[in-house]
Amino acid sequence: MPVGRAFSRFPLSAMAVAVLAVSLLLAACYPALGEEPVCPTCGNTGKVECRIHKDAKVPAFQCSCCYECPKGCWGLGWMPCSNKDCISPHKVELAEQFNRLLAERKAWVDSRRAAVEAKVFTDNGKTAGMKAWHVETAHFRFASTIKPRKVRLLSNGAAKTLTFDSHQAMHLYAQRIEEAFAACMKLLDFTGDYKPTVTDKFLLMVWQSVGEQNAASQAFCHSAQPAGASVDGLLYSTHDANDDMYLHHKLVHAIAHLVCDDYGGIVMSFPPWLREAFAQWVEYEVCGELAMVCVGDFDKNVGCPKRRIKSGMKMQVKGKSKDNPPLSAFIDNRVADMTGWHRIKGICVLDWMLNGYSKKVVGPLVAQCKKGYPKVAQETLFKAVLDKTPDQVDELWGSWVLETYPDNENNSEKLTPLPEGM
């Protein structure tokens, strides 16, 4: 076949496209004379973004998981270019920076291990050499041998039950504990960066087994407590019962106790109703349900709700129920003498103080009780902060409940949004 006739079978436009494509390919592979080659890995920046922790997905906390289960960037969000032919002028500098940051993280992990595992896993061959995960957020140091778990989360507006490994669970709880702390600051109307009085950050520990928890509570609280142990304003340690909802409630409640114990200084005596109301207001605010109550409290009142407490409280006020005594009748009670309705009323009174009277009274009331109680009567402390006696507070609160609280509260289960990067 003649050559001319063979070429004539291809349209001229198609030939032009093919030639252009080949030209562009050659240009990409062979830069023009005098131009530097472009690294296909980093574009000559010397830095490569991590696909796992890209942009805003970089954790806002330190996590030993990123070091113990290294996947590229160790949680830094970027890596130095690994292309041996890369000629970026920043390559060496960034590699040195990366190694320095990684060394700092390794040193942090070692320091947390010395502070926690070295004190807990020391007794026998079973625990020798065991390691915990460690997270450090803005306000907490959190150590755990947390179990993999089923977690109900809010993802794209829908509730989903997902399976999290221990690494993912640590990231989830790093978010959850800061949410609980934020609710405490909301109740106190505290602006700025709150710092504890006896330590720079609160300590939290969650152990996989009862044996580990006993060892930890003995080491840090000097008393073996399998369910949970604490040091006021400093530490809370507990056992992971593999129920994610229950663990979430325990940590939220405990964080509120730590903050309440710390705010205004740690003291030996503090009104039990106020300490419990503070923790349970935060628990209800974060979780939409009350789960952390002393055994028997709610059994003393048939029909005492753990959800929809606002509409339940309104029914009590409207019906002038005997289960809703005046505030002055129980604010000096011991915890053991508090009923479920006492607790719910305490929560709702704090709710009125925050949302119906003044945002700036809960914190001062806590601080005044730290200074005066029990030598100074709570009636005097109330007058100093709110310019009202407990009975006057009760009257104002009751009117506010009737005007403000719904007849049928619709507070479905509150779910944590799926953390970024998961």
Side-chain angles (χ1 to χ4, degrees), residues 38-268:
V38 177
C39 176
T41 305
C42 70
N44 285 7
T45 63
K47 179 185 290 189
V48 179
E49 286 187 331
C50 176
R51 289 178 295 176
I52 300 173
H53 299 112
K54 187 178 179 181
D55 301 329
K57 296 176 183 178
V58 177
F61 49 83
Q62 289 204 76
C63 181
S64 69
C65 308
C66 299
Y67 167 52
E68 295 296 332
C69 300
K71 293 183 179 179
C73 78
W74 281 269
L76 293 173
W78 62 276
M79 299 167 286
C81 183
S82 59
N83 187 343
K84 64 179 182 179
D85 297 322
C86 177
I87 62 169
S88 169
H90 309 295
K91 182 177 179 180
V92 174
E93 176 189 352
L94 289 170
E96 291 176 350
Q97 180 185 357
F98 183 84
N99 290 333
R100 183 175 67 255
L101 292 172
L102 183 56
E104 290 174 359
R105 289 182 174 232
K106 289 180 179 179
W108 169 77
V109 173
D110 291 341
S111 71
R112 298 315 306 149
R113 291 251 155 82
V116 178
E117 286 98 316
K119 294 183 179 180
V120 177
F121 300 133
T122 58
D123 55 349
N124 57 52
K126 289 183 179 179
T127 60
M130 285 186 65
K131 294 179 180 178
W133 304 107
H134 291 273
V135 161
E136 185 168 336
T137 67
H139 303 100
F140 299 92
R141 291 192 178 94
F142 180 34
S144 180
T145 52
I146 196 167
K147 299 175 184 178
R149 58 212 313 103
K150 299 285 186 182
V151 182
R152 277 178 57 80
L153 292 168
L154 192 65
S155 179
N156 296 323
K160 294 183 179 179
T161 300
L162 303 176
T163 301
F164 276 25
D165 61 23
S166 297
H167 182 172
Q168 292 170 319
M170 290 299 286
H171 281 234
L172 173 67
Y173 275 90
Q175 173 181 314
R176 282 177 165 177
I177 60 180
E178 286 294 334
E179 288 173 348
F181 182 83
C184 295
M185 296 299 103
K186 177 180 178 181
L187 183 55
L188 291 168
D189 190 45
F190 187 93
T191 56
D193 190 16
Y194 183 86
K195 296 296 183 184
T197 57
V198 297
T199 182
D200 59 333
K201 294 186 180 183
F202 296 107
L203 304 177
L204 298 173
M205 298 177 184
V206 173
W207 303 100
Q208 189 172 112
S209 69
V210 171
E212 291 176 13
Q213 164 57 19
N214 274 334
S217 60
Q218 184 65 55
F220 292 97
C221 307
H222 307 294
S223 174
Q225 299 288 338
S230 65
V231 177
D232 289 354
L234 176 64
L235 162 72
Y236 177 71
S237 178
T238 191
H239 164 231
D240 180 9
N242 207 32
D243 182 331
D244 184 69
M245 181 278 290
Y246 191 57
L247 179 61
H248 188 194
H249 275 265
K250 280 204 290 188
L251 289 180
V252 170
H253 193 93
I255 286 166
H257 273 318
L258 291 176
V259 172
C260 186
D261 291 343
D262 180 81
Y263 189 83
I266 297 172
V267 296
M268 294 298 294

Side-chain angles (χ1 to χ4, degrees), residues 294-304 322-323 334-342:
C294 294
V295 175
D297 286 341
F298 280 65
D299 297 337
K300 296 174 186 176
N301 301 114
V302 177
C304 188
K322 61 180 177 58
D323 290 327
R334 301 172 306 159
V335 170
D337 296 327
M338 291 178 64
T339 68
W341 281 114
H342 290 163

